[in-house]
């Protein structure tokens, strides 16, 4: 049983999402239960299990961003899909850890693409977080999960890996070599820096704000590309 919650102040939109979800999971032979809420305040009082939440951003009163932030603080670890009128709103949503976003008016093809990715994520036995980097320092070597790397910096001929644990690992290498070893979750935003988009909290004024508190400059030459990469990352990888 998949427990789904839909929070949207527009009744017709909530009904449409519920029908599309029922159709999708019906084809997958999965049973679902659906709860609907018309406001963030009402949702936060909910004590029901939620595996998947569709959350409208532009609601009166407490908006979806604030609702999502509070839910995460309360320990919600399920899939979160934002519903929004403006695609640009996605740039403000990283802290809430959304899986994806749906732009109103939600089209069936758009919904199907998102749900297919979500379904595969639930079924995946080998997570992309298990992909690792081999770091060699003289006769020693370390295996570091990509997911544990917040960002990378190069100073002179040394690469510095900043990890989620607070540890910093340094070794001799070129940023170009490192870039080839990492996957699409990493973006070289500056000639001296590469960031893990999984750990990006926000982006403004040509600065990437990371989950570990580091502030990474984004060069003007890479600024437009960075915005496109963020949008593509949200669609292809999810958070």
């Amino acid at each position: 049983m998949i427990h789904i919650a839909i929070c949207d102040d527009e009744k017709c939109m909530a009904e449409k999402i519920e029908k599309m979800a029922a159709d999708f999971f019906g084809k997958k032979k999965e049973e679902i239960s659906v709860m609907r809420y018309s406001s963030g305040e009402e949702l936060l009082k909910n004590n029901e299990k939620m595996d998947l939440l569709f959350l409208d951003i532009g609601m009166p009163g407490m908006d979806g961003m604030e609702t999502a932030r509070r839910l995460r603080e309360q320990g919600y670890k399920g899939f979160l899909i934002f519903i929004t009128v403006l695609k640009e709103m996605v740039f403000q949503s990283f802290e809430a850890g959304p899986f994806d976003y749906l732009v109103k008016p939600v089209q069936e093809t758009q919904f199907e693409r998102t749900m297919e990715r979500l379904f595969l994520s639930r079924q995946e036995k080998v997570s992309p977080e298990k992909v690792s980097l081999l770091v060699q320092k003289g006769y020693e070597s370390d295996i570091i999960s990509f997911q544990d790397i917040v960002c990378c910096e190069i100073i002179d001929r040394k690469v510095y890996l900043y990890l989620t644990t607070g540890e910093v690992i340094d070794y001799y290498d070129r940023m170009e070599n490192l870039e080839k070893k990492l996957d699409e979750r990493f973006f070289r935003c500056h000639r001296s820096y590469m960031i893990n988009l999984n750990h990006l909290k926000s982006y403004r004024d040509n600065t990437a704000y990371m989950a570990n508190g580091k502030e990474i400059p984004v060069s003007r030459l890479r600024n437009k590309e960075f915005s496109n990469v963020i949008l593509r990352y949200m669609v292809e990888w999810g958070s």
Side-chain angles (χ1 to χ4, degrees), residues 7-22:
C7 185
D8 196 311
D9 62 307
E10 297 180 36
K11 184 180 178 182
C12 60
M13 177 55 65
E15 290 175 345
K16 182 177 181 179
I17 294 291
E18 181 173 352
K19 183 181 184 307
M20 287 193 293

Side-chain angles (χ1 to χ4, degrees), residues 21 36 59 63 68 70-71 78 125 183 185 194 217 219 233:
R36 281 199 261 153
M59 295 183 293
D63 65 17
R70 295 195 187 188
L71 277 173
K125 292 183 179 179
D183 61 25
R185 82 189 79 186
M194 191 152 39
S219 70
Y233 171 79

